[in-house]
Amino acid sequence: MNEGRGTMVIDGLQYANWSEKIFRQFREGGVDAVHVTIAYHENFRETVLNFEQWNRWFERHPDLIVQARTADDVRAAKAAGRTAIIFGFQNPSAIEDDIGLVEITHTLGARFMQLSYNNQSLLATGCYEAEDPGITRMGRQVIKEMNRVGMVVDMSHSAERSTLEAIEISARPIAITHANPGVWHPALRNKSDTVLKALAESGGMLGCSLYPHHLKDKSDCTLESFCTMIARTAETMGVERIGIGSDLCQDHPDSIVTWMRVGRWTREMDYGEGSAAAPGFPPMPDFFADNRDFPNIARGLAAVGFSADEVALVMGGNWLRFFEESFGPAPAAPAEVRPMSVA
């Protein structure tokens, strides 16, 4: 979206080892907003500690980053030359088994929550489970509550039936913040055309992922291949439903990928999309090492035939519109008008 100040650049998801170096790279790459994972397997109290840590970063680096709760906050951050930070959860563990914590965490600043992370949760089924019974009884109630307060349902790590049911149940459009089409690369985390079409028809958003396990040819994926995939996805979904969700995990030690995959749920090693031979974080593709490389994606999109306006939509305009529609409370239902009684 070009609002007289250049294209808005928004990343639909990152989970980096945050530092001043990365915050400065945001600015070098012209990144205006990032959806930041603030919890994986943390419980509520542990998640609050993560919010506290981010408060310290906001205090130390006010010239670089600022918390955003609304689309207007993102616009204001861009105008001030700062990167807006939007919080989200990759698992519902932060709300434990208490639906009241949806509103509490939204008040703290959370704007996205995945209903499951690879495994079965109290709400939905993850993409690594053998069976997918769909959205649970609690899941239906939590979706309703998320719709009410303005927290986006994210089904990036969820299985197919659960994802389709979430799209159907949710009264507001959902997001798949970081995944790619399965027809391009058949990773368990990538999504079928059935899901992508339902997502688009419901007004939802897909963030195309740069995590190598989600890419055709993995770390050897080329910019042309990635951008051609986005062009073909736009033919399926419409260009207005697509953004970037890089899933960048910059500067983390490999112990963090173990936490992401294993958490506290098993004593055995789970390699997820990796393997015993390659258990750690895979190398990023050459064209996208860190946030300074977002301009490469814009150039790549133009090279495969996107117009300047379409490039602007994919790079951030679509996410900004989605934030505008999603982060506030649901509109109140109109009051019932009762006929006046005649005495």
Side-chain angles (χ1 to χ4, degrees), residues 102-115:
V102 172
E103 186 169 23
I104 297 297
T105 54
H106 182 272
T107 301
L108 292 173
R111 292 297 180 267
F112 291 86
M113 184 170 73
Q114 289 182 191
L115 300 194

Side-chain angles (χ1 to χ4, degrees), residues 186-335:
L188 282 174
R189 275 267 291 98
N190 285 341
K191 305 304 178 184
S192 72
D193 277 359
T194 300
V195 165
L196 297 181
K197 289 175 182 176
L199 182 69
E201 289 169 2
S202 65
M205 276 287 295
L206 172 71
C208 293
S209 171
L210 286 144
Y211 191 67
H213 287 312
H214 306 156
L215 301 175
K216 185 178 181 180
D217 300 319
K218 299 196 173 183
S219 299
D220 294 326
C221 182
T222 65
L223 176 61
E224 181 181 10
S225 177
F226 179 72
C227 292
T228 299
M229 175 273 292
I230 294 177
R232 291 175 178 166
T233 306
E235 293 173 1
T236 299
M237 299 183 66
V239 71
E240 298 83 4
R241 299 298 162 204
I242 299 170
I244 304 298
S246 72
D247 203 9
L248 184 64
C249 299
Q250 184 182 346
D251 291 351
H252 274 306
D254 286 346
S255 60
I256 294 299
V257 79
T258 301
W259 164 247
M260 292 158 64
R261 294 166 176 166
V262 174
R264 301 184 177 104
W265 64 270
T266 178
R267 293 178 184 272
E268 299 177 7
M269 184 62 197
D270 186 280
Y271 295 107
E273 293 165 314
S275 66
F281 285 107
M284 293 298 292
D286 289 343
F287 67 88
F288 193 83
D290 58 49
N291 286 279
R292 293 170 294 181
D293 291 331
F294 271 94
N296 290 341
I297 299 175
R299 286 191 290 268
L301 292 172
V304 300
F306 284 92
S307 70
D309 287 345
E310 290 170 335
V311 171
L313 289 174
V314 174
M315 293 304 297
N318 288 333
W319 276 126
L320 185 66
R321 183 199 64 245
F322 187 79
F323 298 167
E324 188 87 68
E325 298 167 351
S326 302
F327 289 172

Side-chain angles (χ1 to χ4, degrees), residues 146-167:
M146 292 172 72
N147 288 168
R148 183 184 73 84
V149 303
M151 187 184 292
V152 177
V153 174
D154 185 351
M155 301 300 283
S156 295
H157 283 255
S158 298
E160 177 128 338
R161 176 181 169 183
S162 289
T163 302
L164 291 170
E165 288 187 0
I167 292 169

Side-chain angles (χ1 to χ4, degrees), residues 6 30 34 72 75 106 116-117 119 126 128 134 139 142 159-160 177 182 279 297 339:
V34 180
D72 281 344
R75 295 186 182 97
H106 182 272
S116 52
Y117 185 83
N119 292 351
Y128 274 70
V142 168
E160 177 128 338
T177 58
I297 299 175

